[in-house]
Amino acid sequence: MNAAIQAELQAGNAVPPVLAYENVRKRYGSFAALDGVSLEVRKGEVICLIGPSGSGKSTLLRCTNGLDSIDGGRILLDGTPLPTDDKGMRLVRRRMGMVFQSFELFPHKTVLANVTVGPTTVLGMAKPAAVARAEALLDKVGLADKAGSYPANLSGGQQQRVAIARALAMEPEVMLFDEPTSALDPETIGEVLTVMKRLAEEGMTMIVVTHEMSFARRVADRVVVFERGAILEEGPPRQIFETPQVTRTKDFLSHLGWEG
Amino acid sequence: MNLDWSVVWQYRGALAEGALMTVVLSLATMVVAIPGGILLALMRLSRSRIASTASACFVEFFRNLPILLLVYWAYYVMPVALDLRLSGFVTGLVALSLNVSAYNAETFRAGIGSLRKGQMEAAMALGMSRWQAMREVILPQASRRVLPVLASTWVSLFKDTSLVSVIAVGELAYTAMRIRSQTFRVLEMLTAMAAIYWALGYPQAKLTDWLNRRFGVTE
Amino acid sequence: MDLDLTSITDNWRYLANGLGLTLLLSLATVAGSLVVGGAVGLARCYGPAWLRWPLVFYIDSMRAIPVLVVLVWSYFALPIVTGWSLPPFWAAFVALTLHIAAYVAEIVRAGITSIRPGQTRAALALGMSRRQAVIQIVLPQTIIRMLPAFGSIISIAIKDTAIAAVIAVPEYMKQSETVAGQTFRPIEVFTCAMLVYFLILFPVTRLIDMAYLRVAHLGRS
């Protein structure tokens, strides 16, 4: 969260939520993936979703940009509920960027083309303008020299940084990260987390599903602990990691070997 | 057994024309059957129940019929149904196209289906429509995977054009057998026919093998 | 367009005989091609080196030459070369078997090479002889993996028998041609033929697919 927003909060001014989840439910057959999740995300906040596998964290993220549909409750973007029709949802997706665990770069396009495809195809931007934007973003993530390479020639960490640049090229209001470092070799995790940290410092609203507890500890404004489709506990990192209010939170963290 | 192989040399012009007709017929069929196959595959993958079922029925029907039967059926039914007198070439083209489109549909469907779901999701997460995602991300990748299979289909098609000889289309088989009837040089002409198909088909088969090695996907 | 179905109903026995012959020829061809193709495939994988070249030549030739050409050559040209005159049914059987066996050989070879060498090594490590390893470990898995292709072989065999009409084998296609010519009702007769062939071929592939799904896990290593 950047200084301006912190100042606003300290001055006691209400900062409107960018995203609001109201009692969101989702079922797969008889299995409740999301069981009444309510959460607010304010502009500029970095929220980390943590919890065991299958607890609903990724599902919530995928429902946020409509890749999965919800069965109950509402999700609101800037106070407006998400649309149910395709066309409407497509417009909403432009305002959210998503980074996948498996990067999902387009292998048949160069790194530069991967970053420009969003602006040119979806936003109808002219090629030169899109290229300029792409080059600036690639420079920002430290991969300006790889613009002409193909994804197959890049390491996992490099690919994920390109994926971040690709999402940023759409100038989204919110960035959704679905376990961005889970598929990376330990050596390359750091370079991706560095980019994400810088993004947070610049004031981007971010929701990050992650197992990287040290990242959550240092960068998150709030940590939300999931279990079995519901929120177990939420609060600032200091609370969650040092003085968790719920016993099961403590259990989960100690299982991960987190000493506090 | 007295053989006169000079007959083959004597009629080399006609045989060359027959071979050319085989090539032309094969090309014409693919020109129709590749877009046809893509269309059928997209219909099958679309979210419209009607389009999907219609495509599935078409594909299953035309994959499960002997081509020879299709040729005869087209020959007798089309003039009546369309009230047109169509040439043997066009009739054969229609029969072959129906069959090959059905096979291509499955090829394209498998090619598209072999891509990871995440590719479509990543495209949609950027705000692309399904059609934009197909155009920019899915189809270009599927094309690469589909190439070796299309090459195999081409090799089969090239051979199947011989079946159109039964409705007197002047491709290689018809030409060779006509010359046989005229000259009574049975062994010479039939062997020459086999040899010419071999000479044309063998390199095509080898090319297909190479394409499979180069572009075949092993994930 | 007025349809006269009596062209079919009056001649149903004639057509049924043709259908019987189609099924007989198909069955014989499938059996023959499995035997010949299996032998060729095994010989390619495990046979002596000098045998590879002629076998590959045979397989590649069948890939290049149409069935129709092999069929016509077997019936008309073979007698001239060898002095044996084969009746139409047997000429068709020989030609179709040779053509499809090449395809079977390739499937067998692909199946065998798809089994990881580790499987053979594990068998040998247990003390099996090479022969035992192949027969008890490699081949059973190969056969299971081949099942989907097996359905395709049956399908191809049935479709190719129709081409035997060209050398006057009285199978279903030929009988349909004759009836259509005599009754001047080609549309009814050939449409009926399309339905008959479809109703035979469609279940065959579906049944094999279903059977494969049941046993596929046995072939995964």
Side-chain angles (χ1 to χ4, degrees):
Chain A
M1 200 188 305
N2 66 12
I5 295 181
Q6 274 182 335
E8 285 278 312
L9 278 178
Q10 276 170 350
N13 295 331
V15 183
V18 169
L19 272 174
Y21 301 88
E22 291 177 0
N23 213 9
V24 175
R25 293 175 196 281
K26 176 156 186 75
R27 316 189 70 81
Y28 287 109
S30 56
F31 170 65
L34 292 174
D35 202 8
V37 173
S38 297
L39 182 65
E40 269 186 10
V41 180
R42 291 184 285 274
K43 188 164 155 66
E45 270 199 298
V46 176
I47 311 279
C48 279
L49 307 183
I50 67 175
S53 305
S55 54
K57 333 186 278 294
S58 289
T59 311
L60 189 71
L61 219 61
R62 293 165 57 86
C63 291
T64 308
N65 75 344
L67 289 179
D68 282 338
S69 56
I70 58 177
D71 299 319
R74 298 196 305 173
I75 303 180
L76 300 107
L77 178 67
D78 284 336
T80 324
L82 292 182
T84 42
D85 63 306
D86 267 346
K87 198 138 186 270
M89 202 58 229
R90 261 188 276 139
L91 290 171
V92 163
R93 286 191 193 121
R94 299 183 190 186
R95 298 159 64 189
M96 303 186 200
M98 183 170 241
V99 177
F100 297 82
Q101 179 176 346
S102 49
F103 336 133
E104 296 302 345
L105 288 185
F106 306 134
H108 59 300
K109 292 182 184 286
T110 60
V111 162
L112 186 69
N114 262 276
V115 182
T116 57
V117 71
T120 50
T121 310
V122 179
L123 301 177
M125 239 179 145
K127 201 76 184 309
V131 169
R133 183 185 284 192
E135 284 174 346
L137 284 169
L138 284 172
D139 190 48
K140 182 178 164 123
V141 300
L143 288 168
D145 56 325
K146 297 283 185 193
S149 306
Y150 282 90
N153 299 324
L154 267 50
S155 73
Q158 290 171 325
Q159 289 188 53
Q160 194 62 300
R161 283 188 275 153
V162 174
I164 294 175
R166 178 177 66 177
L168 289 174
M170 300 294 286
E171 298 196 335
E173 292 169 38
V174 185
M175 283 285 280
L176 308 171
F177 291 84
D178 193 355
E179 297 200 37
T181 56
S182 297
L184 295 177
D185 289 332
E187 312 90 68
T188 51
I189 292 180
E191 62 197 54
V192 174
L193 293 179
T194 308
V195 170
M196 289 169 67
K197 182 160 185 286
R198 195 147 19 99
L199 211 54
E201 285 162 2
E202 289 169 3
M204 174 62 79
T205 313
M206 294 163 61
I207 306 181
V208 185
V209 173
T210 186
H211 294 300
E212 294 290 324
M213 297 303 159
S214 48
F215 175 82
R217 181 79 175 82
R218 286 205 321 265
V219 183
D221 295 304
R222 260 191 299 150
V223 175
V224 180
V225 186
F226 270 78
E227 190 193 51
R228 282 200 274 252
I231 296 180
L232 191 57
E233 185 174 348
E234 67 161 289
R238 172 156 286 176
Q239 172 196 322
I240 299 293
F241 291 109
E242 293 178 15
T243 56
Q245 307 290 296
V246 181
T247 325
R248 290 211 301 287
T249 309
K250 239 194 305 223
D251 290 342
F252 165 66
L253 289 171
S254 66
H255 265 153
L256 294 178
W258 179 261
E259 301 298 325
Chain B
M1 178 166 83
N2 74 323
L3 296 176
D4 176 16
W5 294 94
S6 67
V7 189
V8 180
W9 181 250
Q10 201 185 328
Y11 283 90
R12 68 190 181 284
L15 286 170
E17 277 180 28
L20 185 62
M21 176 67 98
T22 295
V23 173
V24 169
L25 186 54
S26 305
L27 280 171
T29 304
M30 269 303 188
V31 163
V32 174
I34 287 181
I38 295 178
L39 176 64
L40 285 165
L42 290 176
M43 277 171 69
R44 184 69 201 269
L45 294 169
S46 88
R47 279 172 300 177
S48 151
R49 258 301 198 80
I50 304 172
S52 179
T53 318
S55 169
C57 289
F58 180 98
V59 168
E60 280 311 311
F61 190 64
F62 285 104
R63 281 201 319 162
N64 283 302
L65 289 175
I67 298 181
L68 190 66
L69 177 55
L70 271 179
V71 169
Y72 276 124
W73 189 82
Y75 186 70
Y76 287 110
V77 171
M78 271 175 32
V80 176
L82 301 174
D83 211 18
L84 284 176
R85 249 276 85 110
L86 291 166
S87 72
F89 181 87
V90 174
T91 309
L93 179 62
V94 168
L96 288 170
S97 300
L98 288 170
N99 177 271
V100 178
S101 300
Y103 277 102
N104 283 349
E106 281 300 276
T107 304
F108 284 111
R109 187 167 79 101
I112 291 174
S114 70
L115 293 175
R116 282 203 319 273
K117 192 168 89 126
Q119 286 286 297
M120 184 53 137
E121 289 184 347
M124 285 175 61
L126 286 171
M128 289 194 211
S129 69
R130 274 203 118 83
W131 168 234
Q132 284 174 323
M134 275 288 169
R135 206 188 63 215
E136 287 290 333
V137 177
I138 307 291
L139 286 178
Q141 291 186 66
S143 303
R144 244 182 149 235
R145 292 165 190 230
V146 145
L147 199 56
V149 186
L150 280 183
S152 287
T153 307
W154 164 271
V155 171
S156 294
L157 168 60
F158 196 80
K159 290 186 287 178
D160 290 337
T161 54
S162 60
L163 296 172
V164 172
S165 60
V166 300
I167 55 172
V169 176
E171 41 69 62
L172 181 57
Y174 177 76
T175 309
M177 295 204 276
R178 183 178 48 103
I179 301 172
R180 170 199 63 164
S181 310
Q182 286 172 345
T183 62
F184 298 101
R185 294 274 135 217
V186 176
L187 179 61
E188 295 89 324
M189 286 317 301
L190 292 184
T191 308
M193 175 171 69
I196 299 176
Y197 270 110
W198 190 95
L200 293 172
Y202 188 84
Q204 290 179 52
K206 283 301 162 200
L207 185 63
T208 308
D209 283 344
W210 176 81
L211 278 172
N212 258 302
R213 278 196 304 272
R214 176 91 166 73
F215 290 100
V217 176
T218 42
E219 275 193 51
Chain C
M1 181 164 65
D2 66 310
L3 294 173
D4 178 13
L5 292 174
T6 61
S7 55
I8 301 170
T9 52
D10 284 350
N11 296 294
W12 76 270
R13 183 160 281 139
Y14 190 66
L15 291 170
N17 284 340
L19 190 56
L21 203 64
T22 291
L23 293 172
L24 182 63
L25 183 56
S26 306
L27 230 62
T29 300
V30 170
S33 59
L34 283 178
V35 168
V36 175
V40 171
L42 283 171
R44 259 199 87 181
C45 289
Y46 297 115
W50 59 265
L51 205 49
R52 310 258 159 106
W53 184 90
L55 289 180
V56 173
F57 180 77
Y58 155 66
I59 293 174
D60 284 339
S61 300
M62 289 297 139
R63 283 171 75 192
I65 303 178
V67 188
L68 176 68
V69 173
V70 178
L71 198 57
V72 162
W73 199 93
S74 304
Y75 187 59
F76 293 111
L78 192 65
I80 301 180
V81 176
T82 59
W84 312 325
S85 185
L86 290 169
F89 179 89
W90 292 105
F93 170 68
V94 166
L96 290 177
T97 298
L98 278 177
H99 203 258
I100 297 178
Y103 178 55
V104 172
E106 279 298 88
I107 293 174
V108 167
R109 185 177 74 96
I112 291 176
T113 53
S114 79
I115 311 282
R116 286 203 321 272
Q119 290 282 298
T120 314
R121 274 186 240 135
L124 292 174
L126 284 173
M128 288 194 205
S129 70
R130 196 148 257 276
R131 193 155 183 275
Q132 285 173 320
V134 169
I135 295 177
Q136 292 190 32
I137 306 297
V138 177
L139 283 187
Q141 291 186 57
T142 304
I143 292 174
I144 298 204
R145 290 181 190 202
M146 268 181 67
L147 269 184
F150 185 61
S152 149
I153 291 166
I154 299 182
S155 177
I156 290 175
I158 298 177
K159 283 188 263 183
D160 281 355
T161 56
I163 307 177
V166 167
I167 55 171
V169 175
E171 45 69 58
Y172 188 70
M173 184 74 224
K174 179 84 192 111
Q175 305 297 69
S176 295
E177 262 185 84
T178 311
V179 170
Q182 285 175 349
T183 62
F184 298 102
R185 294 253 149 229
I187 297 177
E188 292 89 327
V189 175
F190 285 127
T191 307
C192 172
M194 282 176 102
L195 289 170
V196 167
Y197 272 108
F198 180 72
L199 289 172
I200 298 175
L201 286 163
F202 183 68
V204 164
T205 27
R206 281 285 154 269
L207 280 171
I208 304 272
D209 281 346
M210 275 171 15
Y212 177 66
L213 285 172
R214 290 273 182 82
V215 297
H217 64 280
L218 296 173
R220 269 187 215 123
S221 61

